[in-house]
């Protein structure tokens, strides 16, 4: 009769939950959710994401619109657009399929990030160094074997040569953690991209609420022909994984 008792059932459930946490490396999802975000004043950062089944937007227009939004906004200090793509990366000894992202030249400045090696993009790079690329710490370790002289080396992205100008810190994480190579808007051939692969980030002005910024930027996006724009704070997005993990753990 022991397995029928409430005490046995609850003990067994607790054992399974603890085993799950240990097997998954002491719940890295929960631990990462409580780590400080690697951005300057993350509570003032927000995503503007586009939605729509199989809807595509012109990348060039998106980056131009983001610059116009920054000029006309009363709720944001800075605005930067992003658009990510699957790409093929060619290295001296192998070729790998990975993810790249085109971003506005002020993208990393908006987030408040610094390079671990070299430097990150500046507005002048759009004219003086359109082929510059920034790589993640993970790619630097895997393909460049942690070479501290990586700055100036060439990386082929879809058969277009790019010059590495910097390596991101190991702690850097964005909405698409799979992105390994970051490029400027003028890279290669601009094209139409799916709505769920594009969007913008903004740094809200002091004392501006998310609701105020959301109202203004929804108006901007809809005026530019972007359907169903949604805004979410960086902090809320970071804790989303923790909430889902805890919910399903409790449910289980």
């Amino acid at each position: 009769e022991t397995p029928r008792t409430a005490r046995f059932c609850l003990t067994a459930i607790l054992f399974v939950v603890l085993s799950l946490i240990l097997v998954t490396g002491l719940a890295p999802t929960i631990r990462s959710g409580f780590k400080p975000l690697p951005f300057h004043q993350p509570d003032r950062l927000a995503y503007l994401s586009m939605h729509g089944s199989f809807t595509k937007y012109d990348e060039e227009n998106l980056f131009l619109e983001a610059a116009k939004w920054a000029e006309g906004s009363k709720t944001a200090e800075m605005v930067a657009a992003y658009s990510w793509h699957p790409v093929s990366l060619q290295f001296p000894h192998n070729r790998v399929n990975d993810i790249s992202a085109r971003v506005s030249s002020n993208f990393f400045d908006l987030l408040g990030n610094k390079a671990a090696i070299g430097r990150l993009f500046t507005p002048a790079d759009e004219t003086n160094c359109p082929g510059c690329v920034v790589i993640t710490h993970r790619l630097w370790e895997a393909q460049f074997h942690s070479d501290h002289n990586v700055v100036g080396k060439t990386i082929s992205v879809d058969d277009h040569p790019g010059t590495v100008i910097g390596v991101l810190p190991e702690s850097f994480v964005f909405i698409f953690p799979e992105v390994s190579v970051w490029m400027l808007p003028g890279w290669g051939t601009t094209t139409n991209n799916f709505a769920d692969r594009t969007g913008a980030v903004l740094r809200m002005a002091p004392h501006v609420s998310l609701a105020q910024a959301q109202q203004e930027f929804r108006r901007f996006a809809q005026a530019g022909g972007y359907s169903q724009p949604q805004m979410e704070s960086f902090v809320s997005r970071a804790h989303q994984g923790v909430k889902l993990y805890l919910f399903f753990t409790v449910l289980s």
Side-chain angles (χ1 to χ4, degrees):
E1 293 296 320
T2 301
R4 296 172 179 259
T5 63
R7 178 178 295 178
F8 180 88
C9 291
L10 291 174
T11 302
I13 290 172
L14 180 60
F15 175 78
V16 170
V17 170
L18 291 176
S19 298
L20 178 64
I21 291 175
L22 290 172
V23 168
T24 57
L26 297 177
T29 302
I30 292 178
R31 287 189 288 108
S32 63
F34 287 106
K35 285 182 179 179
L37 292 176
F39 309 119
H40 176 63
Q41 296 179 328
D43 56 311
R44 289 172 52 195
L45 298 174
Y47 299 101
L48 180 69
S49 56
M50 315 302 179
H51 295 276
S53 300
F54 305 107
T55 302
K56 287 188 175 182
Y57 296 116
D58 183 271
E59 279 189 351
E60 186 175 2
N61 285 340
L62 174 64
F63 288 104
L64 290 174
E65 288 286 346
K68 291 179 182 178
W69 297 342
E71 291 179 2
S73 176
K74 296 180 180 179
T75 63
E77 293 180 338
M78 300 176 69
V79 183
Y82 64 83
S83 178
W84 61 271
H85 302 261
V87 291
S88 176
L89 305 179
Q90 178 68 53
F91 298 97
H93 303 292
N94 65 332
R95 191 180 188 92
V96 297
N97 294 321
D98 218 314
I99 306 293
S100 72
R102 292 188 177 106
V103 294
S104 300
S105 59
N106 65 338
F107 180 81
F108 295 112
D109 187 29
L110 184 155
L111 297 178
N113 293 117
K114 304 295 182 183
I117 298 175
R119 66 176 181 86
L120 304 180
F121 298 130
T122 66
D125 288 329
E126 293 197 45
T127 302
N128 300 331
C129 192
C132 287
V133 299
V134 172
I135 62 175
T136 61
H137 199 275
R138 172 175 56 85
L139 187 70
W140 173 65
E141 288 182 326
Q143 299 297 337
F144 291 96
H145 309 292
S146 303
D147 182 4
H148 287 270
N149 297 315
V150 68
V151 173
K153 293 196 173 182
T154 301
I155 179 173
S156 176
V157 184
D158 282 343
D159 299 321
H160 289 81
T163 303
V164 177
I165 62 169
V167 179
L168 287 165
E170 187 175 7
S171 62
F172 179 83
V173 62
F174 190 60
I175 188 173
F176 308 114
E178 297 85 2
V179 172
S180 295
V181 179
W182 300 82
M183 307 174 296
L184 292 170
W187 175 273
T189 304
T190 57
T191 182
N192 292 337
N193 202 2
F194 289 105
D196 58 356
R197 295 180 179 179
T198 60
V201 292
L202 60 134
R203 178 170 289 279
M204 295 180 288
H207 312 299
V208 169
S209 68
L210 181 66
Q212 290 173 319
Q214 187 176 50
Q215 183 177 11
E216 181 184 52
F217 276 83
R218 277 185 175 177
R219 188 172 67 251
F220 285 162
Q222 289 171 346
Y226 298 96
S227 62
Q228 302 176 352
Q230 296 184 4
M231 186 173 288
E232 185 179 10
S233 73
F234 269 50
V235 175
S236 175
R237 185 63 177 261
H239 293 162
Q240 184 178 14
V242 176
K243 293 175 183 177
L244 289 172
Y245 189 97
L246 292 176
F247 172 77
F248 285 107
T249 300
V250 172
L251 182 64
S252 299

